[in-house]
Amino acid sequence: MARDEVILRFEELGFEYEPNKPILEEVSFSVRRNSKITVMGQNGGGKSTIFKLITKELKPESGNVVIGQNLTIAIARQVIPRDELKLTARDFFLKAFEDSAKAGLRKSGGKIHDIDPKIDVVLEVVNLKGHEKMHDRVVSSFSGGQQARLLLASALIQDPDLLLLDEPTNNLDHAGIEHLTEFLKSYEKTVIVISHDADFLNAFSDGVLYLDIFTKKVEQFVGNYFDVVRQIAVQVEKENRKNAQLAKQIQENKDKANFFANKGGQMRLVARRMRDKAEELEENMVDTRREDKTIRNFVIPVQDAINGEILSISSYSTLSPKTHKPVVKKTKIVLRKNQHLLLRGPNGIGKSTLLEAIAQSTAEGSFIQEGISVGYYRQDFSTLNFSDTVYDSLMAVMKEHVEEKMRATAASFLITGDLIRSKIGSLSEGQKGLVAFARLVLQRPGLLILDEPTNHINFRHLPIIAEALNKYEGAMVLVSHVPDFVEKIRIDEILDLEK
């Protein structure tokens, strides 16, 4: 099979979730065998929708998705569906095969025999080295980072011709991202990746599909991630320069037209020609590329009248990487107003479990001052009720239900129009993250607990979020595996669970 063979093609494709609200319009692009492609675009712009069209989970309203004959496809999703969290690891992998067969993404269905050796191999590939009875562990018992590796492994175990990765670095620690990057560099098949991690994408990409949320179309670029960002910047500058020149000529012709029109007689004919020329030039102006919108600068207000020891930790429990059994360790940490703690450690050591126990006041050795409002940002968004509308979810955290204030806050996080009446469950993962931040602003917590707050979030928003956290005046506990993000936030104390 030729490397340059086109194995996937979108032809004038259109798709909409609701009537007259298109997500994609006349989208055309092609993907060649063994290429490594990045999908760029704003949160909620339709990147995951493209994957669902490839996997036949969705059908286009118009146009076609043309897939190469006998091409096998597997997808590593952003998150594990809630109904699959109760499965054992073995059943989780078996279900991945079953789902692919049902969707027609594998050459043949049927029962998978002797899957355990295959699981061992693929867990080694994703650097998820297990211990005894790893295959029988319930998926929910794995940490967020380990679940991210399971998602990748569930796609790799199928050995697909086309591998689709949706935000694969979310929840991964530094070692996990490095391991995944090296794997993708050496992977000899076709990969399409959605991610907001610029350095990760640049390490292996040789092409970019840029989804423009304004035009609803996809532009195709050749080159690595940073090459394409530069190409787009040059294009924007060129378009702006051309429009500026045209605008100057248009104004000159309009001024001349007004001048000659006041002269009367045959000068009016000259004035008409000047106006016609101005209209012709206006038609030549190009629609300048509009970059992704960013959220507005925001502040997370702190709860009124708080003082003293907001959070104290005298001991905590971690999980042994080898035995997966809890180990209790002693410490002495006290957080008062305007003090920030960074919780550090590799995937699987128990960071999220500890944060949840602290937030719910069930952690032995941790104490939250009575009356303190806790703002808890979970990496899986399980603090959000997926059946609620965005409107109800935001109003629920407000002490005083002032709709005008709620809508203004929502708008600052790009939650406008019909989106505010949408159900949480229908939003993209990135939009859920923005709703979660809007709730924190409206809640006014005294203690802020944040578990991987960069996951799924457009990289353009991250400096603004980091600045807001840096300026937060309550007590804060943060878990993040993104060094560039953490560096922008004032950290007063670090608790390394591995040491």
Side-chain angles (χ1 to χ4, degrees):
M1 296 181 182
R3 175 184 170 82
D4 291 338
E5 175 193 1
V6 172
I7 61 170
L8 171 69
R9 188 167 67 249
F10 274 42
E11 298 178 336
E12 300 292 319
L13 184 140
F15 179 81
E16 57 187 34
Y17 284 104
E18 297 178 41
N20 303 315
K21 292 181 181 176
I23 299 292
L24 304 171
E25 286 187 336
E26 299 177 357
V27 166
S28 297
F29 65 83
S30 59
V31 175
R32 298 186 182 277
R33 187 177 295 279
N34 298 344
S35 56
K36 306 288 197 309
I37 304 296
T38 288
V39 182
M40 290 174 62
Q42 189 171 321
N43 290 140
K47 300 185 297 297
S48 294
T49 298
I50 287 177
F51 275 13
K52 290 176 181 178
L53 288 161
I54 294 172
T55 60
K56 305 177 186 177
E57 184 177 340
L58 296 175
K59 294 182 179 180
E61 308 291 332
S62 59
N64 299 296
V65 179
V66 181
I67 296 172
Q69 190 173 9
N70 295 326
L71 189 81
T72 57
I73 303 172
I75 181 170
R77 297 159 294 179
Q78 288 191 43
V79 293
I80 295 176
R82 294 186 176 191
D83 61 342
E84 295 182 25
L85 291 173
K86 298 177 182 177
L87 299 176
T88 63
R90 182 185 294 103
D91 289 337
F92 174 72
F93 284 108
L94 285 169
K95 191 173 188 305
F97 277 104
E98 291 168 5
D99 290 346
S100 290
K102 286 178 185 176
L105 305 179
R106 285 201 305 117
K107 295 183 179 77
S108 61
K111 191 169 181 64
I112 306 299
H113 297 287
D114 203 20
I115 194 172
D116 282 359
K118 294 183 176 70
I119 294 174
D120 288 333
V121 169
V122 81
L123 290 182
E124 185 75 23
V125 169
V126 300
N127 203 27
L128 186 56
K129 297 170 184 176
H131 53 83
E132 290 181 15
K133 301 183 179 178
M134 171 71 88
H135 301 188
D136 296 319
R137 270 184 65 184
V138 175
V139 170
S140 60
S141 71
F142 290 87
S143 72
Q146 290 172 328
Q147 287 183 21
R149 296 172 199 236
L150 284 178
L151 284 166
L152 177 59
S154 70
L156 296 181
I157 199 171
Q158 299 173 58
D159 191 26
D161 300 318
L162 172 58
L163 177 62
L164 307 176
L165 304 180
D166 198 351
E167 300 285 6
T169 61
N170 280 349
N171 300 320
L172 286 185
D173 55 20
H174 181 68
I177 294 173
E178 271 194 351
H179 195 83
L180 175 58
T181 303
E182 292 306 312
F183 169 78
L184 292 175
K185 283 181 182 178
S186 61
Y187 192 62
E188 296 181 351
K189 297 186 180 181
T190 313
V191 185
I192 306 179
V193 183
I194 297 170
S195 176
H196 291 111
D197 187 332
D199 290 324
F200 165 72
L201 292 171
N202 200 63
F204 60 85
S205 298
D206 54 33
V208 169
L209 298 174
Y210 184 98
L211 176 54
D212 192 319
I213 195 171
F214 302 104
T215 64
K216 318 294 185 189
K217 291 180 171 56
V218 169
E219 296 173 276
Q220 189 156 12
F221 295 87
V222 175
N224 65 29
Y225 181 84
F226 291 150
D227 286 339
V228 171
V229 170
R230 282 191 290 269
Q231 288 177 53
I232 291 172
V234 168
Q235 185 177 333
V236 171
E237 185 181 352
K238 184 178 178 182
E239 290 170 349
N240 286 334
R241 193 163 54 243
K242 179 180 179 181
N243 280 346
Q245 291 170 348
L246 288 171
K248 183 179 179 182
Q249 294 174 33
I250 289 165
Q251 191 59 50
E252 288 174 352
N253 278 275
K254 286 181 177 179
D255 291 343
K256 288 177 182 177
N258 291 334
F259 175 79
F260 289 125
N262 292 328
K263 297 293 183 182
Q266 290 188 342
M267 290 296 99
R268 290 179 178 172
L269 294 174
V270 176
R272 186 176 299 131
R273 285 200 295 272
M274 293 293 102
R275 288 196 183 95
D276 290 343
K277 179 64 175 176
E279 289 178 3
E280 181 184 338
L281 290 170
E282 284 176 338
E283 290 177 1
N284 289 334
M285 291 189 77
V286 297
D287 290 331
T288 306
R289 172 193 295 279
R290 290 183 287 174
E291 286 301 292
D292 296 347
K293 291 182 181 178
T294 54
I295 59 177
R296 296 179 204 155
N297 291 326
F298 68 97
V299 172
I300 301 176
V302 68
Q303 182 179 354
D304 294 332
I306 59 170
N307 51 57
E309 297 183 0
I310 295 172
L311 171 66
S312 60
I313 305 173
S314 59
S315 65
Y316 59 93
S317 179
T318 66
L319 294 177
S320 166
K322 294 182 178 180
T323 64
H324 197 65
K325 291 180 180 179
V327 178
V328 177
K329 298 180 181 180
K330 299 290 184 181
T331 189
K332 187 177 182 180
I333 292 174
V334 174
L335 293 185
R336 295 178 171 83
K337 190 174 179 179
N338 210 24
Q339 291 187 320
H340 300 169
L341 168 69
L342 176 66
L343 208 62
R344 200 158 60 186
N347 290 147
I349 203 165
K351 299 185 299 298
S352 295
T353 302
L354 178 56
L355 286 188
E356 181 179 11
I358 292 173
Q360 296 178 354
S361 297
T362 58
E364 292 186 20
S366 296
F367 176 76
I368 298 175
Q369 182 188 136
E370 188 175 351
I372 293 294
S373 173
V374 179
Y376 183 22
Y377 185 109
R378 284 189 62 129
Q379 58 177 256
D380 61 359
F381 306 123
S382 57
T383 52
L384 303 177
N385 185 336
F386 284 23
S387 298
D388 282 349
T389 63
V390 175
Y391 180 100
D392 291 334
S393 183
L394 295 180
M395 291 291 275
V397 296
M398 299 179 72
K399 288 183 178 178
E400 297 178 2
H401 293 176
V402 182
E403 182 171 338
E404 185 178 357
K405 180 181 179 182
M406 181 274 289
R407 286 184 177 274
T409 301
S412 69
F413 288 94
L414 307 180
I415 304 164
T416 57
D418 294 337
L419 197 61
I420 206 161
R421 291 293 181 183
S422 300
K423 290 196 172 183
I424 299 289
S426 71
L427 304 181
S428 73
E429 296 302 300
Q431 289 170 326
K432 288 176 188 149
L434 296 183
V435 170
F437 275 112
R439 279 167 55 95
L440 294 176
V441 170
L442 295 169
Q443 181 184 348
R444 303 176 62 93
L447 172 62
L448 198 54
I449 296 177
L450 301 146
D451 192 3
E452 299 287 6
T454 64
N455 283 358
H456 314 289
I457 301 291
N458 189 318
F459 69 92
R460 298 178 190 278
H461 305 328
L462 296 184
I464 297 167
I465 292 171
E467 183 180 359
L469 298 183
N470 184 56
K471 292 180 177 179
Y472 177 64
E473 294 182 352
M476 183 173 79
V477 183
L478 170 68
V479 167
S480 175
H481 287 301
V482 183
D484 290 345
F485 179 75
V486 174
E487 286 171 5
K488 294 180 174 68
I489 302 170
R490 175 176 50 80
I491 299 297
D492 302 292
E493 194 156 0
I494 297 174
L495 176 58
D496 193 328
L497 303 191
E498 193 174 26
K499 293 184 179 179

